[in-house]
Amino acid sequence: MCGIFFSLVPKSDPASNIDKDFSARYTVAGLQLEQALKCRGPDCDNAIVVDTKIEDNESHHLTLFSTVLSMRDPLTPQPLQSQDGGILQFNGELYDTVGRLEEYRLDLLGDDTACTNDTALLSQLFGRFGVLETIQSIRGEYAFVYYDVLSRCIWWARDCIGRRSLLVNRSRMDCMALSSLPPANPALRVDWQEVPAGEVYKLDLRTMDITAIPWSYDSCSPLKYPYAPICLDISVSQHSYDTLVTEFSSILLAAVRRRVLAMHHSRSKPDTYAILFSGGIDCTLIAYLTAVCLRDHNAHIDLLNVAFENPRINTGFNTPDRVLGRRSWQELTCLPEIQSCRCDFRFVEINVRYSQVLESKTSVQELMFPKCTVMDFSIALAFYFAARGVGTMFSCPLAAAAGDDAPAAEEEYSTPSRVLMSGLGADELFAGYTRHMTSFARGGYEVLANELALDFKRLHERNLGRDDRVGANWSKEFRYPYLDEEVVDFALRCPLDSKLRVVGGENGVREGKWLLRQFARHVGLRNVAEEKKRAIQFGARSAKMEPGQGKIKGTAKFV
């Protein structure tokens, strides 16, 4: 996880006055972003300033400021400047899904370890193959800004799913700013908006024109989506569901393994991994597969479970997600396959008092911008404290179930893992929301398909940017196995009746996320397989916490 700030401003006559608040709107210092970006990347920070004189055209100043959260050796400072003068700011992880990265590394630098870092490799690839060809061939969760000095172009983008945050401000045609975070000052952030996923952007410094190159399903497009469009096939007789479940489990295991193996820890102590854990089916399957990946490792897997003291409900921290989390943790530990693993699960109860919510209210609002609704705040609040990872750690399910007086707990445990695995994406891809049931009831599988396509298409705008900004504040990086390109491709190709099925005849029970539930049943997680979807803000009780808020709609603007 890294922090990115980039600005482009005209180099003006010192005697002229372009704009009174010009400096504040286009410098990392003026926007007071430096410290916030260092929270995202505490290991290294650096700035490069470039003067772009192009023949008789007006010269511009480019300022590139980056912070780095180092995930593996060697630490590679950013911004990274290549031998040809190109400058790269990169935030994310690349995964060797299609076997191309290792091929590139060997072809570019042989056994030179300088190319083992994702940023260094991407810089080399941009210089050799160009931005579009490189982006088409890589897989991963990322956002980047790249100055191509040879073509005098600025490139920027989020990955085609949008799993990392990037914001843009172009309130003036002769200026532009990009940042992982919005300014804290409300007066300075009004012109900032999220960079849409699904497009790669190029600004030509010679003309100041911006070109958007879209990802497409068209085979002739320079950027072709690495996954298929949603399948409209609903013919039950054409499918072997046992085969589908087996294929799904294999693909999801590979996605988890890619994200687990990309973590590097100190060899002097057991490795620690962490999962955002409500106890629901999505995250419990991720926990199970993480243990499978680590079965021969002396590792700890922290299950981070957050609960809020909600004065409007006044039931303490015994929230639905706390009860479910403990139960699912116990079911996990009872599986024979898990009991034979060398790794172990630890349950981390993160209890958030109402006073802490009030203290953090402004910070969460600043981080989640441009999202601004009551629902966004309640979700962001849950991820903010869950990602912090500070709570009470239990190593035995029976001790946790005993409550506050249970022994064998460390009062102020803080997970050392810099990576948090998330189950986000399962509901959007496999029909996990109530509205999917409603869509199916209204118009069958055709209407359901349209709803699922819409949900996946807007993930970058509704969820991913906000969650990245909130979680990264604690120097933590979210990783999304369900949004792995291979998993997405499988999910979109799957027949619709493997996602939402009517069990027990035409008027039977409608079961969403059927494939996940069958997988859970297959590995022995039978109770987890029967759990219904509960949104995090209701499961953790971070929604509508103030007295009198009960009737406020989630879509209302947050005050």
Side-chain angles (χ1 to χ4, degrees), residues 306-426:
V306 65
F308 287 79
E309 176 189 45
N310 190 321
R312 199 173 61 82
I313 300 175
N314 197 26
T315 56
F317 299 114
N318 198 36
T319 64
D321 276 3
R322 178 59 48 78
V323 174
L324 177 59
R326 289 172 175 169
R327 192 163 65 232
S328 298
W329 173 37
Q330 183 165 18
E331 189 171 20
L332 270 171
T333 59
C334 289
L335 294 177
E337 188 174 8
I338 298 301
Q339 290 178 338
S340 66
C341 294
R342 289 175 59 190
C343 60
D344 67 333
F345 289 114
R346 303 187 300 191
F347 194 73
V348 183
E349 297 190 354
I350 301 168
N351 296 331
V352 185
R353 299 198 176 278
Y354 184 56
S355 59
Q356 292 176 276
V357 172
L358 296 179
E359 291 169 2
S360 305
K361 181 177 178 179
T362 300
S363 296
V364 175
Q365 279 187 277
E366 292 170 356
L367 290 167
M368 75 184 201
F369 181 87
K371 308 306 291 180
C372 59
T373 68
V374 169
M375 181 174 65
D376 281 305
F377 177 74
S378 60
I379 297 172
L381 196 64
F383 283 128
Y384 180 81
F385 282 101
R388 183 174 174 235
V390 175
T392 303
M393 185 268 285
F394 295 90
S395 56
C396 172
L398 294 178
D404 294 336
D405 297 329
E410 299 176 15
E411 280 305 315
E412 275 295 307
Y413 174 78
S414 179
T415 183
S417 179
R418 289 184 159 192
V419 172
L420 309 180
M421 303 284 268
S422 168
L424 182 68

